[in-house]
Amino acid sequence: MSVVKINVLTVPAEQREVLEQRFASRAGAVEGSDGFEWFELLRPVEGTDQYLVYTRWRSEEDFAAWMEGTMRASHGGEGGERPKPAASGSTLWSFEVVQQAAPKG
């Protein structure tokens, strides 16, 4: 089954709009990656300053290939000037999907 990667980003209130705009401007960047299945950016509603970046992949290998290729290049890993990060911290959670369900009908 699939693997899920959740990047937990600590984002100060004054940087929320910056973070959301950056994700909006990268629309389509991950969707064409081999093994990519799903993406969601989850905004905190109350009690936390942590956004969740949810991605689902066919396999751990597909995620690793994206990390070393497209993601690294899009985040300035190839040299270019990078803007100041909107997040003040980041933690990556990893899960394997063991059960799933979809709406009936």
Side-chain angles (χ1 to χ4, degrees):
M1 281 213 158
S2 303
V3 295
V4 168
K5 302 296 181 173
I6 300 174
N7 194 0
V8 183
L9 301 175
T10 303
V11 182
E14 66 275 7
Q15 290 292 93
R16 284 179 157 206
E17 188 174 332
V18 171
L19 180 87
E20 291 180 22
Q21 287 176 350
R22 287 183 184 168
F23 271 93
S25 70
R26 53 107 339 252
V30 71
E31 288 86 333
S33 299
D34 192 37
F36 170 79
E37 295 178 350
W38 198 260
F39 161 83
E40 291 178 322
L41 176 62
L42 306 176
R43 177 192 301 138
V45 175
E46 58 186 35
T48 186
D49 59 356
Q50 295 180 315
Y51 277 72
L52 301 181
V53 182
Y54 173 99
T55 58
R56 191 175 68 214
W57 298 86
R58 177 180 53 206
S59 69
E60 186 68 36
E61 294 76 18
D62 291 321
F63 173 74
W66 173 74
M67 285 286 291
E68 290 302 314
T70 307
M71 193 285 294
R72 182 176 299 271
S74 70
H75 284 77
E78 297 295 320
E81 179 135 347
R82 293 178 59 177
K84 180 180 182 244
S88 62
S90 173
T91 301
L92 183 65
W93 296 343
S94 299
F95 300 88
E96 292 179 330
V97 176
V98 293
Q99 292 184 26
Q100 61 187 17
K104 293 182 180 181

